[in-house]
Amino acid sequence: MTDISSALDLTHGLPGIARVVDGHGGLPKVQVTTAAAAGEVYLHGGQVTSWSPAGHRDVLFVSRASRWEPGRAIRGGIPICFPWFGNKAGDPQAPAHGFVRSKQWTLESIAQTDAGVAVGIATESDAETKARWPFDFRLVLRATFGASLQVALVATNTGTAAFTFEEALHTYFTIGDATAIRISGLDGVRYLDKVDAGRERLQEGDIAFAAETDRVYLNTAGAVDIDDPTLRRRIHVSKQNSQSTVVWNPWIDKARALADLQDDDWTRLVCVETCNVAASAIELAPGQQHTMTLTVTVAPT
Ligand code: TA6
């Protein structure tokens, strides 16, 4: 066990419930094990990488080809996109989806609550982030592992100038077969089709997958269901203070092109992302705070 994991476990560990241990690549992670659920969060990227409620296999997908090293994003779980989503406008050299998903976060708390075991981690601006984005901020992620998974992302403007940011909880869900699932809850919602040069379209009915799909659903605060006939379960994704939902499946060619995805990973993952992007970007004045929350439940079908 690395010194950092041992020290954090000594300070924050709850014996028999939540421990800080070395994960892949020797990266410290919090491992939660209770009767209600098991789960994991890496300090690298502030990334939840596992949630298995009792009686269910893991609801979150992580690729076996993922990299586990400083400066690289973990491929799977819940990457955090901040302070921009996708490519940064006017700065093609900037890292896609911002810089906090490849940053080391700080463990602040582990506590048992009525809803489950709550893990609090944080990151904030520093010289490196300010070279990319000249604002002072603090981000806190609270992940609660229980019969449901709750994830809250709290952004605070700790500086003297207002700023505008985009954010996403870019959740990768485990599914049995991408060609068989159906996603409901976005009927009648307009979206930007990123596979078709960002053309704006209208969703009609449920989403089914038959090709690369990359869509930004606009002005939608509603919940989404992922119906999975192969794993015989329904994943319910609800949210608060989020006005955009992104749906992504890389399909064959994109999965093959991404080095940290296995070629057939597209068959067993779908991203349904809880966001505030594009026209729903958030403006914060100095001292102001914004909290976006995701709640996931799963039920057999
Ligand atoms: O959320 C969908 C998306 O923006 C896609 O365009 C695709 O690029 C995906 O994210 C993964 O991005 P990444 O930078 O992690 O390879």
Side-chain angles (χ1 to χ4, degrees), residues 47 61 168 188:
Q47 202 145 333
F61 168 89

PDB file of all heavy atoms in Angstrom, residues 47 61 168 188:
ATOM      1  N   GLN A  47     -13.136  10.702  -9.644  1.00  0.00           N
ATOM      2  CA  GLN A  47     -13.971   9.870 -10.491  1.00  0.00           C
ATOM      3  C   GLN A  47     -14.578   8.674  -9.787  1.00  0.00           C
ATOM      4  O   GLN A  47     -13.865   7.785  -9.308  1.00  0.00           O
ATOM      5  CB  GLN A  47     -13.139   9.385 -11.672  1.00  0.00           C
ATOM      6  CG  GLN A  47     -13.944   8.978 -12.877  1.00  0.00           C
ATOM      7  CD  GLN A  47     -13.220   9.313 -14.170  1.00  0.00           C
ATOM      8  OE1 GLN A  47     -12.419  10.239 -14.218  1.00  0.00           O
ATOM      9  NE2 GLN A  47     -13.487   8.561 -15.211  1.00  0.00           N
ATOM     10  N   PHE A  61     -19.819   1.436 -16.090  1.00  0.00           N
ATOM     11  CA  PHE A  61     -18.886   0.748 -16.993  1.00  0.00           C
ATOM     12  C   PHE A  61     -17.509   1.391 -16.912  1.00  0.00           C
ATOM     13  O   PHE A  61     -17.389   2.621 -16.926  1.00  0.00           O
ATOM     14  CB  PHE A  61     -19.389   0.866 -18.436  1.00  0.00           C
ATOM     15  CG  PHE A  61     -18.382   0.441 -19.457  1.00  0.00           C
ATOM     16  CD1 PHE A  61     -18.304  -0.876 -19.874  1.00  0.00           C
ATOM     17  CD2 PHE A  61     -17.480   1.358 -19.996  1.00  0.00           C
ATOM     18  CE1 PHE A  61     -17.352  -1.277 -20.808  1.00  0.00           C
ATOM     19  CE2 PHE A  61     -16.526   0.969 -20.921  1.00  0.00           C
ATOM     20  CZ  PHE A  61     -16.470  -0.353 -21.329  1.00  0.00           C
ATOM     21  N   ALA A 168     -20.362  18.639 -16.727  1.00  0.00           N
ATOM     22  CA  ALA A 168     -21.032  17.372 -17.019  1.00  0.00           C
ATOM     23  C   ALA A 168     -20.562  16.296 -16.059  1.00  0.00           C
ATOM     24  O   ALA A 168     -19.366  16.225 -15.732  1.00  0.00           O
ATOM     25  CB  ALA A 168     -20.755  16.928 -18.451  1.00  0.00           C
ATOM     26  N   GLY A 188     -39.676  14.453 -27.826  1.00  0.00           N
ATOM     27  CA  GLY A 188     -40.116  15.840 -27.972  1.00  0.00           C
ATOM     28  C   GLY A 188     -39.056  16.868 -27.601  1.00  0.00           C
ATOM     29  O   GLY A 188     -39.320  18.075 -27.621  1.00  0.00           O
TER      30      GLY A 188
END
